[in-house]
């Protein structure tokens, strides 16, 4: 961006600054778990190639969107079948990519003229939340982090927001 003098928007999940967002752990597990059979939510899945991993993602995502499974439950099931920390230690080259921006990174981006917007507290699927949960998820704790009044809805597809989210 600097080389071509391009200014950009960066969207921050406030509660995850300097940490890993759950969705990154989810996709990391799906992408890098060794080829084998895994039992998730009382169903067995043999993961051996991209198509089988994508099929599992679609099944889990459908249940997540229906609010049958929450993100913590999905990650717990995955971790029980193959430890995420073990998987990360097997692939240390991805550690930096899995971590979100730090406070120092955010300050640096703003000093370089980039815009930093809010992307929710914990990156939940907003359309599945109650009004109280939605209010909490969309409430900035430290507004000084952000230098623009722009909000990016987590995931961003039409299933991820509804009239309640918009209002």
């Amino acid at each position: 961006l600097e080389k071509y003098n391009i200014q950009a928007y960066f969207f921050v999940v406030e509660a995850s600054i300097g940490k890993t967002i759950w969705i990154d752990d989810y996709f990391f597990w799906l992408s890098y778990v060794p080829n084998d059979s895994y039992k998730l939510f009382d169903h067995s899945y043999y993961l051996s190639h991209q198509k089988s991993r994508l099929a599992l993602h679609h099944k889990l995502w459908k249940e997540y969107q229906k609010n049958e499974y929450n993100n913590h439950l999905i990650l717990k099931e995955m971790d029980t079948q193959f430890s995420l920390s073990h998987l990360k230690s097997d692939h240390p080259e991805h550690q930096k990519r899995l971590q979100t921006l730090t406070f120092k990174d955010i300050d640096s981006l703003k000093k370089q003229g980039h815009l930093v917007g809010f992307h929710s507290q914990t990156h939940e699927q907003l359309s599945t939340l109650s009004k109280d949960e939605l209010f909490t998820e969309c409430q900035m704790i430290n507004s000084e982090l952000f230098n623009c009044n722009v909000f990016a809805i987590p995931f961003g597809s039409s299933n991820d927001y509804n009239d309640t989210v918009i209002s």
Side-chain angles (χ1 to χ4, degrees):
L1 296 174
E2 187 177 338
K3 179 179 176 180
Y4 295 103
N5 196 29
I6 296 172
Q7 305 311 137
Y9 281 96
F10 290 84
F11 292 96
V12 174
V13 176
E14 192 170 5
S16 297
I17 294 172
K19 301 175 187 170
T20 303
I21 299 174
W22 75 268
I23 193 68
D24 290 335
D25 281 342
Y26 168 85
F27 281 117
F28 185 76
W29 190 94
L30 282 171
S31 298
Y32 291 99
V33 71
N35 294 344
D36 206 345
S37 185
Y38 300 96
K39 190 172 184 176
L40 301 167
F41 302 104
D42 297 323
H43 292 89
S44 291
Y45 303 93
Y46 187 75
L47 301 180
S48 60
H49 48 73
Q50 182 181 8
K51 189 174 180 178
S52 62
R53 292 164 190 273
L54 191 58
L56 175 56
H57 160 63
H58 287 296
K59 173 125 176 71
L60 291 173
W61 203 250
K62 182 185 284 186
E63 298 303 318
Y64 174 74
Q65 289 182 319
K66 290 189 322 190
N67 220 16
E68 295 295 321
Y69 309 144
N70 66 38
N71 56 354
H72 305 290
L73 189 58
I74 293 171
L75 288 177
K76 183 178 177 187
E77 283 282 308
M78 290 173 151
D79 195 59
T80 300
Q81 290 299 299
F82 195 95
S83 165
L84 191 57
S85 61
H86 181 78
L87 194 58
K88 286 180 179 182
S89 70
D90 286 349
H91 297 278
E93 68 276 14
H94 297 295
Q95 278 307 111
K96 181 70 175 157
R97 183 183 65 81
L98 292 172
Q99 300 230 314
T100 62
L101 297 170
T102 64
F103 289 103
K104 184 178 175 181
D105 294 331
I106 293 168
D107 285 342
S108 177
L109 288 170
K110 291 190 299 188
K111 286 176 184 169
Q112 294 172 38
H114 298 291
L115 298 172
V116 178
F118 185 56
H119 194 43
S120 79
Q121 280 299 318
T122 63
H123 207 274
E124 296 291 330
Q125 185 184 27
L126 302 181
S127 61
T128 66
L129 303 178
S130 70
K131 282 186 179 183
D132 288 342
E133 291 169 326
L134 185 58
F135 180 79
T136 300
E137 185 67 17
C138 295
Q139 189 69 40
M140 289 180 206
I141 302 298
N142 181 359
S143 61
E144 297 295 315
L145 286 171
F146 309 102
N147 63 354
C148 67
N149 193 19
V150 178
F151 178 76
I153 294 172
F155 308 107
S157 78
S158 60
N159 293 330
D160 302 316
Y161 61 92
N162 52 31
D163 290 340
T164 305
V165 172
I166 292 169
S167 68

